[in-house]
Amino acid sequence: MQEVFDFIKKANTYFLATVDGDQPRVRPFGTIDMFNGKLYIQTGLKKDVAKQLLANPKAEISACVDGSWIRVCGKLVLDDNREARKHMLDNYPSLRGMYNEDDGNCAVFCFTDAVATICSFTTAPKTIQL
């Protein structure tokens, strides 16, 4: 798990793919956190991405670093734990201008049933169960 987190954190920006009905939706994201041994992202409940994940939690993220890339495929499930929201915001203090852990809008989603694959053009893929 730490290797996956470190890779995505180093990338700084990753791309999150969700499903909107039968239409895939991809957008850049920057928030990634590890809390209680799980990988988390953060968004606002009022945003389309949160609505899409609540309707269908299947998601995938992808990022590139130094000629390698990662894909994390699984389910992103809403975690209503205040401490998880606080941990995320403490690690991204710039978000506190838009969110706080008690505002009813800040949401954190954690990966479940997930597999990460790290690839490059020169090495065999590495698979990590999350």
Side-chain angles (χ1 to χ4, degrees):
M1 175 68 77
Q2 188 67 47
E3 181 178 6
V4 173
F5 173 75
D6 290 345
F7 190 106
I8 298 167
K9 189 77 170 168
K10 185 177 180 182
N12 197 40
T13 300
Y14 60 90
F15 293 87
L16 170 67
T18 59
V19 179
D20 185 10
D22 67 348
Q23 179 65 46
R25 300 288 180 194
V26 179
R27 78 273 291 153
F29 256 68
T31 54
I32 195 77
D33 198 15
M34 227 170 54
F35 179 74
N36 286 343
K38 295 180 182 177
L39 194 64
Y40 281 80
I41 69 160
Q42 185 277 335
T43 191
L45 283 175
K46 296 175 185 175
K47 292 185 175 182
D48 287 344
V49 64
K51 294 172 188 171
Q52 291 159 9
L53 288 171
L54 290 170
N56 182 348
K58 291 181 181 178
E60 191 164 320
I61 63 175
S62 184
C64 297
V65 173
D66 299 330
S68 295
W69 61 93
I70 192 169
R71 288 176 307 168
V72 181
C73 182
K75 294 178 182 175
L76 277 169
V77 177
L78 181 67
D79 185 343
D80 199 29
N81 180 334
R82 182 185 188 278
E83 288 306 310
R85 292 190 304 271
K86 182 178 182 328
H87 193 270
M88 176 69 79
L89 294 175
D90 286 348
N91 283 292
Y92 291 91
S94 62
L95 291 176
R96 288 205 175 269
M98 296 182 292
Y99 301 103
N100 78 63
E101 53 269 23
D102 299 314
D103 65 7
N105 183 37
C106 181
V108 290
F109 290 80
C110 68
F111 267 105
T112 64
D113 303 321
V115 175
T117 306
I118 300 173
C119 303
S120 80
F121 290 116
T122 58
T123 60
K126 180 177 184 178
T127 302
I128 303 166
Q129 285 291 136
L130 303 184

